[in-house]
Amino acid sequence: EAGGLVWAYLGPKELEPPFQKYEFFDGPPENRLVFRVNTPCNYLQLWEGGTDSSHVGILHCNLANPEWKIKPDFAPSMEDYSSVSLANGDNAPVLDLENTEYGYHYAAKRQGPKLPDGTETASVRVTAVIFPTCRIIPLTFYQFFVFEVPQDDERTSTYLVAHGPRAFDREQLKHVLGLDKPHLWDEKSCDYKVGLFNNFGQNRDVMNDVWSGLGGLVPEDASIGASMGPIVERHKEVLVAADAAVVRLRARLLESVRRHEAGGEPFGLSIPDYTKVRSLADTNVPKNRRWQEWLPNNMGLPSRQQEPAE
């Protein structure tokens, strides 16, 4: 038991990897909240959606986009500790990806303000993607870890871990996550109950205030994932530039599988300590600086190792 979760290794004793430590293992228990959500779809379509930074200001716009209905009060303060707000309303960030020892991380760059000396900046938001199931979502005041763990091909347990420098109000965070809807999520079974039978939880009567008709991060992400069907037919997709992080996820997963089949280790298997691997919330980075300088412990790989093998 560690970090509010029970961890298990299933496999031959002689192949057992080191137990991996994350930042949220440390600190007072009240500074950490853990939720589990069982969703009726394949783990990869949930993971892909979660690694896509450009969806935040669109799918979650009434929570995250400061230009949603021209609301000037989106700038988060410590009094709004559960805020998931973006720094600006740009829904078409430029994506800059870098492979790492455990998978990859990438920056979504939006236009930032000029510095006093006139230097242009980019508002940079970095997501770390840790194989085989984790991502760290960048939020202003705390780190948000998400583990997409497959139960089987068509059912996923998502573990959500919020960890920060002060105690959380569980009910407040449940509201932001959208887990305060007992007709959709049962806290005892952890089952997210959606499908065609209830229109995936959508209430179109509230769309003037909650544009998706779902409300909260989890209903929006999980309902989108489940509405694709148990396993989405990817050969029907038309991918665009905004899908670069999703494409990289698939490429790195396939590369990790090939390494394993050739007798090597999958990405990240022998890394014992992730406590210094972080995401980066919206940070104004001068355009003549590399955003990686703000994340020196994220294990970025040299540029020659950036493109996956064919």
Side-chain angles (χ1 to χ4, degrees), residues 128-187:
V129 183
I130 301 173
F131 283 25
T133 62
C134 180
R135 62 185 180 274
I136 309 178
I137 298 174
L139 296 177
T140 306
F141 300 118
Y142 58 96
Q143 297 279 286
F144 198 70
F145 299 78
V146 183
F147 298 84
E148 306 285 5
V149 182
Q151 294 183 19
D152 54 37
D153 286 350
E154 299 183 356
R155 192 167 178 82
T156 302
S157 290
T158 300
Y159 297 87
L160 309 165
V161 184
H163 178 259
R166 59 177 256 194
F168 286 95
D169 181 324
R170 184 176 177 86
E171 294 305 311
Q172 181 183 10
L173 189 57
K174 276 179 67 175
H175 177 70
V176 171
L177 293 174
L179 294 177
D180 56 350
K181 300 173 175 61
H183 65 291
L184 295 180
W185 182 70
D186 178 72
E187 190 154 10

Side-chain angles (χ1 to χ4, degrees), residues 33 47 88 128 135 139 192 248 297:
L33 285 179
W47 200 17
N88 66 54
R135 62 185 180 274
L139 296 177
Y192 187 66
R248 182 63 61 94
N297 300 304

Side-chain angles (χ1 to χ4, degrees), residues 8 13 17 48 51 53 59 97 116 123-124 129 136 139 172 180-181 245 256 259 275:
K13 178 65 178 176
E48 288 177 349
T51 60
S53 189
L59 180 59
L97 299 97
S123 178
V124 173
V129 183
I136 309 178
L139 296 177
Q172 181 183 10
D180 56 350
K181 300 173 175 61
S256 189
R259 283 177 50 157
T275 55

Side-chain angles (χ1 to χ4, degrees), residues 204-276:
R204 297 194 175 191
D205 292 336
V206 301
M207 292 176 72
N208 190 52
D209 297 310
V210 181
W211 89 272
S212 66
L214 294 163
L217 300 177
V218 170
E220 288 170 344
D221 288 333
S223 289
I224 288 290
S227 70
M228 300 176 185
I231 302 178
V232 67
E233 297 185 59
R234 290 176 174 80
H235 66 283
K236 296 181 179 180
E237 293 177 333
V238 178
L239 298 174
V240 297
D243 297 313
V246 175
V247 173
R248 182 63 61 94
L249 174 60
R250 296 176 186 177
R252 292 291 277 170
L253 275 174
L254 290 171
E255 186 179 0
S256 189
V257 169
R258 286 193 291 266
R259 283 177 50 157
H260 174 67
E261 290 177 338
E265 285 192 350
F267 294 137
L269 185 68
S270 295
I271 297 174
D273 191 349
Y274 284 105
T275 55
K276 294 182 179 180

